[in-house]
mmCIF file of all heavy atoms in Angstrom:
data_model
loop_
_atom_site.group_PDB
_atom_site.id
_atom_site.type_symbol
_atom_site.label_atom_id
_atom_site.label_comp_id
_atom_site.label_asym_id
_atom_site.label_seq_id
_atom_site.Cartn_x
_atom_site.Cartn_y
_atom_site.Cartn_z
ATOM 1 N N ASP A 24 -41.516 -25.652 -37.310
ATOM 2 C CA ASP A 24 -41.004 -25.443 -38.665
ATOM 3 C C ASP A 24 -42.080 -25.562 -39.737
ATOM 4 O O ASP A 24 -41.800 -25.860 -40.890
ATOM 5 C CB ASP A 24 -39.829 -26.377 -38.953
ATOM 6 C CG ASP A 24 -40.201 -27.846 -38.956
ATOM 7 O OD1 ASP A 24 -41.377 -28.179 -38.694
ATOM 8 O OD2 ASP A 24 -39.316 -28.673 -39.205
ATOM 9 N N ASP A 25 -43.325 -25.285 -39.371
ATOM 10 C CA ASP A 25 -44.452 -25.292 -40.302
ATOM 11 C C ASP A 25 -45.371 -24.150 -39.886
ATOM 12 O O ASP A 25 -45.902 -24.141 -38.776
ATOM 13 C CB ASP A 25 -45.182 -26.624 -40.227
ATOM 14 C CG ASP A 25 -46.419 -26.689 -41.105
ATOM 15 O OD1 ASP A 25 -46.804 -25.667 -41.723
ATOM 16 O OD2 ASP A 25 -47.026 -27.774 -41.173
ATOM 17 N N TYR A 26 -45.564 -23.194 -40.774
ATOM 18 C CA TYR A 26 -46.341 -22.005 -40.453
ATOM 19 C C TYR A 26 -47.782 -22.333 -40.063
ATOM 20 O O TYR A 26 -48.422 -21.595 -39.332
ATOM 21 C CB TYR A 26 -46.327 -21.014 -41.632
ATOM 22 C CG TYR A 26 -46.951 -19.694 -41.272
ATOM 23 C CD1 TYR A 26 -46.246 -18.751 -40.532
ATOM 24 C CD2 TYR A 26 -48.256 -19.399 -41.650
ATOM 25 C CE1 TYR A 26 -46.820 -17.538 -40.177
ATOM 26 C CE2 TYR A 26 -48.845 -18.192 -41.310
ATOM 27 C CZ TYR A 26 -48.126 -17.269 -40.568
ATOM 28 O OH TYR A 26 -48.694 -16.082 -40.203
ATOM 29 N N ASN A 27 -48.323 -23.448 -40.520
ATOM 30 C CA ASN A 27 -49.704 -23.831 -40.221
ATOM 31 C C ASN A 27 -49.831 -24.704 -38.973
ATOM 32 O O ASN A 27 -50.926 -25.147 -38.642
ATOM 33 C CB ASN A 27 -50.314 -24.558 -41.424
ATOM 34 C CG ASN A 27 -50.410 -23.635 -42.615
ATOM 35 O OD1 ASN A 27 -50.911 -22.524 -42.505
ATOM 36 N ND2 ASN A 27 -49.885 -24.076 -43.748
ATOM 37 N N TRP A 28 -48.731 -24.942 -38.292
ATOM 38 C CA TRP A 28 -48.726 -25.803 -37.101
ATOM 39 C C TRP A 28 -49.387 -25.094 -35.930
ATOM 40 O O TRP A 28 -49.258 -23.879 -35.758
ATOM 41 C CB TRP A 28 -47.271 -26.161 -36.760
ATOM 42 C CG TRP A 28 -47.109 -27.106 -35.634
ATOM 43 C CD1 TRP A 28 -47.047 -28.474 -35.709
ATOM 44 C CD2 TRP A 28 -46.961 -26.789 -34.245
ATOM 45 N NE1 TRP A 28 -46.870 -29.009 -34.460
ATOM 46 C CE2 TRP A 28 -46.819 -27.987 -33.546
ATOM 47 C CE3 TRP A 28 -46.951 -25.594 -33.530
ATOM 48 C CZ2 TRP A 28 -46.655 -28.049 -32.167
ATOM 49 C CZ3 TRP A 28 -46.787 -25.640 -32.149
ATOM 50 C CH2 TRP A 28 -46.644 -26.864 -31.480
ATOM 51 N N HIS A 29 -50.085 -25.847 -35.090
ATOM 52 C CA HIS A 29 -50.644 -25.332 -33.835
ATOM 53 C C HIS A 29 -50.596 -26.460 -32.803
ATOM 54 O O HIS A 29 -50.919 -27.604 -33.122
ATOM 55 C CB HIS A 29 -52.083 -24.843 -34.029
ATOM 56 C CG HIS A 29 -52.562 -24.037 -32.875
ATOM 57 N ND1 HIS A 29 -53.064 -24.602 -31.730
ATOM 58 C CD2 HIS A 29 -52.590 -22.700 -32.674
ATOM 59 C CE1 HIS A 29 -53.392 -23.661 -30.869
ATOM 60 N NE2 HIS A 29 -53.104 -22.484 -31.423
ATOM 61 N N PRO A 30 -50.192 -26.152 -31.566
ATOM 62 C CA PRO A 30 -49.995 -27.217 -30.578
ATOM 63 C C PRO A 30 -51.257 -28.001 -30.244
ATOM 64 O O PRO A 30 -51.173 -29.190 -29.924
ATOM 65 C CB PRO A 30 -49.468 -26.485 -29.349
ATOM 66 C CG PRO A 30 -49.879 -25.067 -29.524
ATOM 67 C CD PRO A 30 -49.895 -24.838 -31.011
ATOM 68 N N LYS A 31 -52.408 -27.392 -30.334
ATOM 69 C CA LYS A 31 -53.648 -28.095 -29.983
ATOM 70 C C LYS A 31 -54.152 -28.983 -31.110
ATOM 71 O O LYS A 31 -55.014 -29.809 -30.900
ATOM 72 C CB LYS A 31 -54.718 -27.097 -29.555
ATOM 73 C CG LYS A 31 -54.318 -26.390 -28.271
ATOM 74 C CD LYS A 31 -55.387 -25.489 -27.754
ATOM 75 C CE LYS A 31 -54.879 -24.873 -26.460
ATOM 76 N NZ LYS A 31 -55.858 -24.071 -25.781
ATOM 77 N N GLU A 32 -53.599 -28.800 -32.309
ATOM 78 C CA GLU A 32 -54.063 -29.574 -33.455
ATOM 79 C C GLU A 32 -52.990 -30.483 -34.039
ATOM 80 O O GLU A 32 -53.304 -31.505 -34.624
ATOM 81 C CB GLU A 32 -54.546 -28.623 -34.556
ATOM 82 C CG GLU A 32 -55.672 -27.730 -34.117
ATOM 83 C CD GLU A 32 -55.902 -26.572 -35.069
ATOM 84 O OE1 GLU A 32 -55.305 -26.558 -36.161
ATOM 85 O OE2 GLU A 32 -56.670 -25.661 -34.694
ATOM 86 N N ASN A 33 -51.719 -30.095 -33.922
ATOM 87 C CA ASN A 33 -50.663 -30.792 -34.659
ATOM 88 C C ASN A 33 -49.503 -31.275 -33.796
ATOM 89 O O ASN A 33 -48.435 -31.531 -34.330
ATOM 90 C CB ASN A 33 -50.070 -29.857 -35.723
ATOM 91 C CG ASN A 33 -51.115 -29.246 -36.616
ATOM 92 O OD1 ASN A 33 -51.467 -28.096 -36.447
ATOM 93 N ND2 ASN A 33 -51.627 -30.020 -37.553
ATOM 94 N N SER A 34 -49.657 -31.405 -32.505
ATOM 95 C CA SER A 34 -48.489 -31.722 -31.677
ATOM 96 C C SER A 34 -47.880 -33.078 -32.014
ATOM 97 O O SER A 34 -46.713 -33.313 -31.748
ATOM 98 C CB SER A 34 -48.835 -31.645 -30.190
ATOM 99 O OG SER A 34 -49.821 -32.614 -29.866
ATOM 100 N N ASP A 35 -48.649 -33.983 -32.602
ATOM 101 C CA ASP A 35 -48.111 -35.291 -32.981
ATOM 102 C C ASP A 35 -47.764 -35.371 -34.458
ATOM 103 O O ASP A 35 -47.377 -36.408 -34.956
ATOM 104 C CB ASP A 35 -49.112 -36.400 -32.634
ATOM 105 C CG ASP A 35 -49.298 -36.551 -31.141
ATOM 106 O OD1 ASP A 35 -48.345 -36.224 -30.396
ATOM 107 O OD2 ASP A 35 -50.376 -36.985 -30.717
ATOM 108 N N ALA A 36 -47.912 -34.259 -35.184
ATOM 109 C CA ALA A 36 -47.633 -34.246 -36.622
ATOM 110 C C ALA A 36 -46.136 -34.403 -36.882
ATOM 111 O O ALA A 36 -45.329 -34.449 -35.962
ATOM 112 C CB ALA A 36 -48.149 -32.945 -37.235
ATOM 113 N N CYS A 37 -45.773 -34.416 -38.122
ATOM 114 C CA CYS A 37 -44.380 -34.635 -38.525
ATOM 115 C C CYS A 37 -43.551 -33.357 -38.514
ATOM 116 O O CYS A 37 -42.529 -33.291 -39.174
ATOM 117 C CB CYS A 37 -44.343 -35.279 -39.903
ATOM 118 S SG CYS A 37 -45.048 -36.928 -39.909
ATOM 119 N N SER A 38 -43.980 -32.356 -37.789
ATOM 120 C CA SER A 38 -43.229 -31.100 -37.699
ATOM 121 C C SER A 38 -42.242 -31.157 -36.537
ATOM 122 O O SER A 38 -42.458 -31.850 -35.549
ATOM 123 C CB SER A 38 -44.192 -29.932 -37.467
ATOM 124 O OG SER A 38 -45.078 -29.789 -38.535
ATOM 125 N N ASN A 39 -41.175 -30.386 -36.692
ATOM 126 C CA ASN A 39 -40.268 -30.162 -35.577
ATOM 127 C C ASN A 39 -40.835 -29.009 -34.765
ATOM 128 O O ASN A 39 -41.278 -28.005 -35.332
ATOM 129 C CB ASN A 39 -38.873 -29.793 -36.082
ATOM 130 C CG ASN A 39 -38.226 -30.945 -36.811
ATOM 131 O OD1 ASN A 39 -38.177 -32.062 -36.324
ATOM 132 N ND2 ASN A 39 -37.748 -30.673 -38.010
ATOM 133 N N TRP A 40 -40.835 -29.135 -33.437
ATOM 134 C CA TRP A 40 -41.346 -28.059 -32.602
ATOM 135 C C TRP A 40 -40.686 -28.118 -31.215
ATOM 136 O O TRP A 40 -40.144 -29.143 -30.817
ATOM 137 C CB TRP A 40 -42.866 -28.097 -32.495
ATOM 138 C CG TRP A 40 -43.429 -29.357 -31.897
ATOM 139 C CD1 TRP A 40 -43.823 -30.475 -32.579
ATOM 140 C CD2 TRP A 40 -43.653 -29.633 -30.509
ATOM 141 N NE1 TRP A 40 -44.270 -31.425 -31.699
ATOM 142 C CE2 TRP A 40 -44.184 -30.932 -30.416
ATOM 143 C CE3 TRP A 40 -43.451 -28.911 -29.342
ATOM 144 C CZ2 TRP A 40 -44.528 -31.522 -29.205
ATOM 145 C CZ3 TRP A 40 -43.786 -29.496 -28.119
ATOM 146 C CH2 TRP A 40 -44.325 -30.789 -28.061
ATOM 147 N N ILE A 41 -40.756 -26.993 -30.535
ATOM 148 C CA ILE A 41 -40.247 -26.894 -29.172
ATOM 149 C C ILE A 41 -41.126 -25.905 -28.428
ATOM 150 O O ILE A 41 -41.599 -24.919 -29.012
ATOM 151 C CB ILE A 41 -38.759 -26.480 -29.146
ATOM 152 C CG1 ILE A 41 -38.226 -26.500 -27.721
ATOM 153 C CG2 ILE A 41 -38.534 -25.158 -29.827
ATOM 154 C CD1 ILE A 41 -36.706 -26.458 -27.636
ATOM 155 N N SER A 42 -41.380 -26.178 -27.158
ATOM 156 C CA SER A 42 -42.170 -25.263 -26.335
ATOM 157 C C SER A 42 -41.412 -24.989 -25.041
ATOM 158 O O SER A 42 -40.715 -25.860 -24.512
ATOM 159 C CB SER A 42 -43.552 -25.841 -26.037
ATOM 160 O OG SER A 42 -43.452 -27.050 -25.308
ATOM 161 N N ALA A 43 -41.564 -23.767 -24.555
ATOM 162 C CA ALA A 43 -40.845 -23.353 -23.353
ATOM 163 C C ALA A 43 -41.574 -22.195 -22.691
ATOM 164 O O ALA A 43 -42.357 -21.485 -23.328
ATOM 165 C CB ALA A 43 -39.419 -22.938 -23.704
ATOM 166 N N LYS A 44 -41.284 -21.996 -21.426
ATOM 167 C CA LYS A 44 -41.880 -20.882 -20.676
ATOM 168 C C LYS A 44 -41.233 -19.550 -21.036
ATOM 169 O O LYS A 44 -41.870 -18.513 -20.965
ATOM 170 C CB LYS A 44 -41.753 -21.121 -19.166
ATOM 171 C CG LYS A 44 -42.485 -22.342 -18.681
ATOM 172 C CD LYS A 44 -43.972 -22.159 -18.820
ATOM 173 C CE LYS A 44 -44.732 -23.356 -18.279
ATOM 174 N NZ LYS A 44 -46.165 -23.223 -18.489
ATOM 175 N N ARG A 45 -39.956 -19.592 -21.405
ATOM 176 C CA ARG A 45 -39.243 -18.360 -21.762
ATOM 177 C C ARG A 45 -38.488 -18.580 -23.059
ATOM 178 O O ARG A 45 -38.003 -19.677 -23.331
ATOM 179 C CB ARG A 45 -38.270 -17.959 -20.652
ATOM 180 C CG ARG A 45 -38.993 -17.573 -19.367
ATOM 181 C CD ARG A 45 -38.069 -17.139 -18.264
ATOM 182 N NE ARG A 45 -37.235 -16.028 -18.719
ATOM 183 C CZ ARG A 45 -36.084 -15.697 -18.169
ATOM 184 N NH1 ARG A 45 -35.599 -16.378 -17.162
ATOM 185 N NH2 ARG A 45 -35.393 -14.679 -18.633
ATOM 186 N N MET A 46 -38.339 -17.484 -23.822
ATOM 187 C CA MET A 46 -37.672 -17.575 -25.121
ATOM 188 C C MET A 46 -36.948 -16.267 -25.386
ATOM 189 O O MET A 46 -37.485 -15.194 -25.128
ATOM 190 C CB MET A 46 -38.750 -17.821 -26.184
ATOM 191 C CG MET A 46 -38.262 -18.008 -27.571
ATOM 192 S SD MET A 46 -39.701 -18.349 -28.638
ATOM 193 C CE MET A 46 -38.893 -18.285 -30.205
ATOM 194 N N LYS A 47 -35.715 -16.374 -25.870
ATOM 195 C CA LYS A 47 -34.964 -15.190 -26.273
ATOM 196 C C LYS A 47 -34.088 -15.551 -27.459
ATOM 197 O O LYS A 47 -33.850 -16.727 -27.726
ATOM 198 C CB LYS A 47 -34.153 -14.607 -25.121
ATOM 199 C CG LYS A 47 -33.267 -15.572 -24.386
ATOM 200 C CD LYS A 47 -32.493 -14.945 -23.238
ATOM 201 C CE LYS A 47 -33.319 -14.862 -21.983
ATOM 202 N NZ LYS A 47 -32.513 -14.575 -20.786
ATOM 203 N N TRP A 48 -33.612 -14.528 -28.166
ATOM 204 C CA TRP A 48 -32.820 -14.772 -29.377
ATOM 205 C C TRP A 48 -31.762 -13.697 -29.530
ATOM 206 O O TRP A 48 -31.822 -12.650 -28.900
ATOM 207 C CB TRP A 48 -33.728 -14.817 -30.603
ATOM 208 C CG TRP A 48 -34.336 -13.493 -30.955
ATOM 209 C CD1 TRP A 48 -35.427 -12.901 -30.386
ATOM 210 C CD2 TRP A 48 -33.875 -12.575 -31.955
ATOM 211 N NE1 TRP A 48 -35.675 -11.690 -30.965
ATOM 212 C CE2 TRP A 48 -34.740 -11.459 -31.935
ATOM 213 C CE3 TRP A 48 -32.815 -12.593 -32.855
ATOM 214 C CZ2 TRP A 48 -34.576 -10.370 -32.787
ATOM 215 C CZ3 TRP A 48 -32.663 -11.506 -33.702
ATOM 216 C CH2 TRP A 48 -33.532 -10.422 -33.663
ATOM 217 N N ARG A 49 -30.790 -14.011 -30.406
ATOM 218 C CA ARG A 49 -29.754 -13.041 -30.755
ATOM 219 C C ARG A 49 -29.200 -13.377 -32.133
ATOM 220 O O ARG A 49 -29.238 -14.534 -32.572
ATOM 221 C CB ARG A 49 -28.643 -13.015 -29.722
ATOM 222 C CG ARG A 49 -27.852 -14.306 -29.620
ATOM 223 C CD ARG A 49 -26.811 -14.196 -28.544
ATOM 224 N NE ARG A 49 -26.084 -15.452 -28.403
ATOM 225 C CZ ARG A 49 -25.067 -15.623 -27.593
ATOM 226 N NH1 ARG A 49 -24.650 -14.618 -26.846
ATOM 227 N NH2 ARG A 49 -24.457 -16.768 -27.520
ATOM 228 N N GLU A 50 -28.697 -12.346 -32.795
ATOM 229 C CA GLU A 50 -28.031 -12.545 -34.077
ATOM 230 C C GLU A 50 -26.641 -13.102 -33.839
ATOM 231 O O GLU A 50 -25.938 -12.673 -32.921
ATOM 232 C CB GLU A 50 -27.913 -11.224 -34.837
ATOM 233 C CG GLU A 50 -29.223 -10.699 -35.349
ATOM 234 C CD GLU A 50 -29.063 -9.443 -36.198
ATOM 235 O OE1 GLU A 50 -27.972 -9.225 -36.776
ATOM 236 O OE2 GLU A 50 -30.038 -8.689 -36.266
ATOM 237 N N VAL A 51 -26.240 -14.058 -34.672
ATOM 238 C CA VAL A 51 -24.892 -14.632 -34.638
ATOM 239 C C VAL A 51 -24.413 -14.807 -36.078
ATOM 240 O O VAL A 51 -24.084 -15.905 -36.508
ATOM 241 C CB VAL A 51 -24.842 -15.961 -33.828
ATOM 242 C CG1 VAL A 51 -25.004 -15.712 -32.339
ATOM 243 C CG2 VAL A 51 -25.900 -16.955 -34.312
ATOM 244 N N ASN A 52 -24.384 -13.716 -36.805
ATOM 245 C CA ASN A 52 -24.090 -13.759 -38.238
ATOM 246 C C ASN A 52 -22.736 -14.365 -38.583
ATOM 247 O O ASN A 52 -22.547 -14.848 -39.689
ATOM 248 C CB ASN A 52 -24.213 -12.358 -38.830
ATOM 249 C CG ASN A 52 -25.639 -11.891 -38.846
ATOM 250 O OD1 ASN A 52 -26.535 -12.628 -39.222
ATOM 251 N ND2 ASN A 52 -25.867 -10.665 -38.412
ATOM 252 N N ASP A 53 -21.811 -14.360 -37.657
ATOM 253 C CA ASP A 53 -20.499 -14.954 -37.933
ATOM 254 C C ASP A 53 -20.495 -16.463 -37.664
ATOM 255 O O ASP A 53 -19.458 -17.102 -37.779
ATOM 256 C CB ASP A 53 -19.400 -14.235 -37.140
ATOM 257 C CG ASP A 53 -19.653 -14.211 -35.646
ATOM 258 O OD1 ASP A 53 -20.823 -14.326 -35.227
ATOM 259 O OD2 ASP A 53 -18.675 -14.075 -34.890
ATOM 260 N N TRP A 54 -21.631 -17.050 -37.358
ATOM 261 C CA TRP A 54 -21.740 -18.482 -37.112
ATOM 262 C C TRP A 54 -22.274 -19.213 -38.344
ATOM 263 O O TRP A 54 -23.079 -20.121 -38.249
ATOM 264 C CB TRP A 54 -22.643 -18.761 -35.923
ATOM 265 C CG TRP A 54 -22.031 -18.443 -34.593
ATOM 266 C CD1 TRP A 54 -20.918 -17.702 -34.357
ATOM 267 C CD2 TRP A 54 -22.517 -18.849 -33.321
ATOM 268 N NE1 TRP A 54 -20.682 -17.614 -33.013
ATOM 269 C CE2 TRP A 54 -21.644 -18.318 -32.347
ATOM 270 C CE3 TRP A 54 -23.596 -19.604 -32.901
ATOM 271 C CZ2 TRP A 54 -21.826 -18.521 -30.987
ATOM 272 C CZ3 TRP A 54 -23.780 -19.812 -31.554
ATOM 273 C CH2 TRP A 54 -22.906 -19.279 -30.609
ATOM 274 N N MET A 55 -21.799 -18.845 -39.508
ATOM 275 C CA MET A 55 -22.212 -19.508 -40.742
ATOM 276 C C MET A 55 -21.236 -20.648 -41.042
ATOM 277 O O MET A 55 -20.132 -20.692 -40.518
ATOM 278 C CB MET A 55 -22.241 -18.511 -41.890
ATOM 279 C CG MET A 55 -23.262 -17.398 -41.710
ATOM 280 S SD MET A 55 -24.948 -18.003 -41.617
ATOM 281 C CE MET A 55 -25.241 -18.467 -43.319
ATOM 282 N N GLY A 56 -21.674 -21.549 -41.897
ATOM 283 C CA GLY A 56 -20.800 -22.630 -42.334
ATOM 284 C C GLY A 56 -21.014 -23.921 -41.567
ATOM 285 O O GLY A 56 -21.928 -24.057 -40.766
ATOM 286 N N LYS A 57 -20.107 -24.843 -41.823
ATOM 287 C CA LYS A 57 -20.209 -26.210 -41.334
ATOM 288 C C LYS A 57 -19.731 -26.368 -39.886
ATOM 289 O O LYS A 57 -20.109 -27.322 -39.202
ATOM 290 C CB LYS A 57 -19.383 -27.105 -42.255
ATOM 291 C CG LYS A 57 -19.466 -28.566 -41.968
ATOM 292 C CD LYS A 57 -18.644 -29.355 -42.972
ATOM 293 C CE LYS A 57 -18.628 -30.821 -42.606
ATOM 294 N NZ LYS A 57 -17.834 -31.602 -43.545
ATOM 295 N N GLN A 58 -18.904 -25.466 -39.419
ATOM 296 C CA GLN A 58 -18.292 -25.609 -38.088
ATOM 297 C C GLN A 58 -19.350 -25.715 -36.994
ATOM 298 O O GLN A 58 -20.313 -24.963 -36.965
ATOM 299 C CB GLN A 58 -17.395 -24.411 -37.795
ATOM 300 C CG GLN A 58 -16.766 -24.460 -36.417
ATOM 301 C CD GLN A 58 -15.935 -23.221 -36.117
ATOM 302 O OE1 GLN A 58 -15.693 -22.398 -36.982
ATOM 303 N NE2 GLN A 58 -15.502 -23.097 -34.891
ATOM 304 N N ASN A 59 -19.140 -26.680 -36.093
ATOM 305 C CA ASN A 59 -20.019 -26.807 -34.932
ATOM 306 C C ASN A 59 -19.676 -25.733 -33.921
ATOM 307 O O ASN A 59 -18.507 -25.486 -33.638
ATOM 308 C CB ASN A 59 -19.866 -28.188 -34.292
ATOM 309 C CG ASN A 59 -20.455 -29.281 -35.146
ATOM 310 O OD1 ASN A 59 -21.469 -29.085 -35.796
ATOM 311 N ND2 ASN A 59 -19.818 -30.421 -35.152
ATOM 312 N N ARG A 60 -20.681 -25.095 -33.366
ATOM 313 C CA ARG A 60 -20.495 -24.031 -32.384
ATOM 314 C C ARG A 60 -20.706 -24.521 -30.969
ATOM 315 O O ARG A 60 -20.136 -23.989 -30.034
ATOM 316 C CB ARG A 60 -21.469 -22.885 -32.667
ATOM 317 C CG ARG A 60 -21.322 -22.306 -34.059
ATOM 318 C CD ARG A 60 -19.951 -21.723 -34.256
ATOM 319 N NE ARG A 60 -19.762 -21.329 -35.647
ATOM 320 C CZ ARG A 60 -18.823 -20.504 -36.030
ATOM 321 N NH1 ARG A 60 -17.969 -20.001 -35.175
ATOM 322 N NH2 ARG A 60 -18.684 -20.207 -37.300
ATOM 323 N N TYR A 61 -21.536 -25.540 -30.775
ATOM 324 C CA TYR A 61 -21.819 -26.016 -29.426
ATOM 325 C C TYR A 61 -20.878 -27.134 -28.995
ATOM 326 O O TYR A 61 -20.731 -27.383 -27.810
ATOM 327 C CB TYR A 61 -23.267 -26.489 -29.331
ATOM 328 C CG TYR A 61 -24.268 -25.390 -29.616
ATOM 329 C CD1 TYR A 61 -25.432 -25.670 -30.316
ATOM 330 C CD2 TYR A 61 -24.071 -24.095 -29.187
ATOM 331 C CE1 TYR A 61 -26.369 -24.671 -30.586
ATOM 332 C CE2 TYR A 61 -24.985 -23.086 -29.446
ATOM 333 C CZ TYR A 61 -26.133 -23.381 -30.135
ATOM 334 O OH TYR A 61 -27.051 -22.401 -30.390
ATOM 335 N N ALA A 62 -20.235 -27.801 -29.915
ATOM 336 C CA ALA A 62 -19.295 -28.870 -29.587
ATOM 337 C C ALA A 62 -17.905 -28.430 -30.016
ATOM 338 O O ALA A 62 -17.241 -29.064 -30.805
ATOM 339 C CB ALA A 62 -19.687 -30.156 -30.291
ATOM 340 N N ILE A 63 -17.475 -27.293 -29.485
ATOM 341 C CA ILE A 63 -16.184 -26.726 -29.884
ATOM 342 C C ILE A 63 -15.054 -27.689 -29.546
ATOM 343 O O ILE A 63 -15.002 -28.249 -28.467
ATOM 344 C CB ILE A 63 -15.978 -25.363 -29.198
ATOM 345 C CG1 ILE A 63 -17.031 -24.399 -29.716
ATOM 346 C CG2 ILE A 63 -14.585 -24.843 -29.431
ATOM 347 C CD1 ILE A 63 -17.015 -23.032 -29.109
#
């Protein structure tokens, strides 16, 4: 969550980060608002 972040320099910094071998995404435009989607 920081555009200047890099794992070799900032892995212990105060940024939120996640690393993985695979990554994919999708639009979920109807998932707006306060309602929890993962704890239905």
